[in-house]
Amino acid sequence: MLDFIYYPVSWILWFWHRVFGFAFGADNGLTWALAVVFLVFTLRVLLYKPFVKQVRTTKQMQELQPQIKELQKKYKNDRQKMATEMQKLQKDHGFNPLMGCLPILAQVPVFLGLFHVLRSFNRTGHGIGQLGMSAYDNAHTSNYVFNAADVQSFLSARIFGAPISAFITSPASELQAFAEYGGVPSKVSIAAVAIPLMVIAGLATHFNARASVARQSAEAAANPQAAMMNKLALWVFPLGVLVGGPFLPIAILLYWVSNNIWTYGQQHLVFGRMEKEEEEKKQAKLEQRAQNAPKPGAKPVSTKKKQASVDAAPVDAEVDSTDAPASTNGTAKPAAGKTSGQRRPGGQRRPGTRGRANQKRRR
């Protein structure tokens, strides 16, 4: 039913097993362990851009918390209106909440697919997903893209004496499948490998959550829902690894450890780049502000004042040189005082008889 997940996971695991098989041997436990680890790395490389989008979405959601609270307070009695305004706010800021969950949702089917493929190397059990095969039939039956020789190679692989597909609570009947391929492992040898991996996986989960919580803003951390999720990520999820570890194959624990180590390093890389981008934006704004500021000692120029002085300039100071009488030799005579043809502001010509002579006549 989920072959569209099982086959791609099998192909990636098969590829890395072939790569490391040239260096360490096909039946070596380190070869199979590295194949699982690099299966994780391959997945995380493919999900790098969605992860960056998830980080930016989470940060943007924290920045929008004040506006979201205002909308919740304003429309607390109108759910439909609040939902409409929330969608409008998300659209205006290009915010998509689904992008915050995409990387996690994409890892879930891969985890389930890897768990199923690894369990299918030993199908002698009678539980969920098991076929109840005999040890001989199981070793001579292919497992998705892995042929019978690959199945036998996987059964022979050991890490410090423990089969990579074994888990602490493995029934004794299932452990008989390893009898012809390295002998039946003991529960002590399995626990000696699985328990340290469980502890490392739990600690890695906790420190990843702590690094994520430390980057949250005070407003986001004060949100009741965010506070509850922080507690789950910090304490419940790591505890879940310790509780569920005895029921997980060693290969799955390797997957969990390598996935958390990758996440820890990737978080520091992405957040470091984002902080650098923000610092560059701040520096660009400061430089732009410095360029627009007046130089030291220079008097700021008001463009409004300058424009007002231009508009208030007298128009009647213009002299129509064409109204000046011309001399007999073809040269123009200079205008005498204001008796020349000057114009009023309205464009009308002032009378040339204005002056002291006219004033004497009136007297």
Side-chain angles (χ1 to χ4, degrees):
M1 183 175 64
L2 296 178
D3 288 349
F4 69 95
I5 297 175
Y6 301 149
Y7 275 98
V9 170
S10 298
W11 276 116
I12 298 173
L13 188 64
W14 178 89
F15 171 79
W16 288 116
H17 174 256
R18 288 294 186 273
V19 170
F20 292 107
F22 285 111
F24 305 107
D27 298 343
N28 195 317
L30 182 61
T31 298
W32 284 100
L34 289 174
V36 173
V37 170
F38 276 79
L39 168 66
V40 178
F41 293 168
T42 303
L43 170 67
R44 298 308 302 270
V45 168
L46 295 175
L47 292 177
Y48 177 76
K49 288 187 176 181
F51 176 81
V52 175
K53 186 67 175 177
Q54 174 198 3
V55 173
R56 295 186 184 277
T57 300
T58 303
K59 186 176 181 182
Q60 190 178 19
M61 183 172 62
Q62 294 176 4
E63 293 174 353
L64 293 177
Q65 279 300 316
Q67 300 181 44
I68 293 175
K69 288 183 178 180
E70 289 181 2
L71 291 177
Q72 292 174 346
K73 184 178 179 180
K74 185 177 181 180
Y75 302 105
K76 61 181 179 180
N77 297 326
D78 191 349
R79 296 283 184 179
Q80 185 175 0
K81 182 66 175 177
M82 183 173 64
T84 303
E85 292 297 325
M86 290 283 286
Q87 291 176 358
K88 183 180 178 181
L89 179 66
Q90 294 172 3
K91 184 178 180 181
D92 292 341
H93 291 81
F95 176 72
N96 186 2
L98 183 60
M99 292 304 299
C101 305
L102 181 60
I104 298 175
L105 294 176
Q107 293 182 56
V108 171
V110 176
F111 177 85
L112 296 176
L114 179 61
F115 180 81
H116 177 77
V117 171
L118 293 175
R119 286 293 304 273
S120 296
F121 280 106
N122 185 358
R123 293 149 289 188
T124 59
H126 298 276
I128 299 175
Q130 296 292 291
L131 302 178
M133 291 183 175
S134 64
Y136 179 86
D137 291 339
N138 175 71
H140 293 81
T141 303
S142 61
N143 178 25
Y144 294 101
V145 300
F146 296 98
N147 56 32
D150 294 329
V151 174
Q152 296 170 18
S153 172
F154 188 86
L155 295 174
S156 302
R158 295 286 191 277
I159 297 180
F160 301 108
I164 196 172
S165 63
F167 48 98
I168 296 176
T169 58
S170 296
S173 58
E174 292 186 22
L175 294 178
Q176 293 299 320
F178 302 100
E180 299 295 329
Y181 306 95
V184 178
S186 65
K187 293 291 186 72
V188 175
S189 62
I190 297 173
V193 177
I195 291 176
L197 288 175
M198 289 162 49
V199 174
I200 295 173
L203 291 174
T205 303
H206 172 77
F207 283 111
N208 272 332
R210 176 176 289 186
S212 180
V213 171
R215 293 185 177 94
Q216 291 181 357
S217 63
E219 295 178 351
N223 189 349
Q225 295 179 351
M228 182 182 67
M229 289 302 299
N230 290 340
K231 290 181 180 179
L232 290 175
L234 284 170
W235 307 110
V236 178
F237 294 162
L239 184 62
V241 178
L242 296 176
V243 173
F247 304 92
L248 298 176
I250 292 174
I252 292 294
L253 294 175
L254 285 170
Y255 172 92
W256 200 288
V257 170
S258 56
N259 186 58
N260 278 278
I261 292 174
W262 178 281
T263 300
Y264 191 81
Q266 187 172 258
Q267 278 186 347
H268 283 274
L269 175 65
V270 173
F271 280 105
R273 288 183 176 179
M274 291 178 63
E275 291 175 359
K276 187 177 179 181
E277 291 176 1
E278 292 179 358
E279 188 64 26
E280 290 177 353
K281 289 180 180 178
K282 289 181 181 179
Q283 291 296 331
K285 288 182 179 179
L286 292 175
E287 291 177 1
Q288 184 67 25
R289 187 178 300 174
Q291 291 177 1
N292 295 335
K295 296 181 180 180
K299 185 178 180 180
V301 179
S302 177
T303 56
K304 293 183 179 179
K305 196 171 183 180
K306 187 176 179 181
Q307 184 65 28
S309 63
V310 172
D311 296 339
V315 183
D316 57 350
E318 298 178 357
V319 178
D320 190 358
S321 61
T322 58
D323 293 339
S327 63
T328 55
N329 57 1
T331 59
K333 293 182 180 180
K338 294 185 179 179
T339 58
S340 61
Q342 296 177 349
R343 294 181 182 273
R344 295 179 179 178
Q348 300 176 359
R349 188 185 299 275
R350 290 180 177 180
T353 57
R354 293 181 61 185
R356 289 186 176 182
N358 294 334
Q359 292 176 1
K360 289 180 180 180
R361 291 196 192 106
R362 289 176 186 174
R363 289 177 185 173

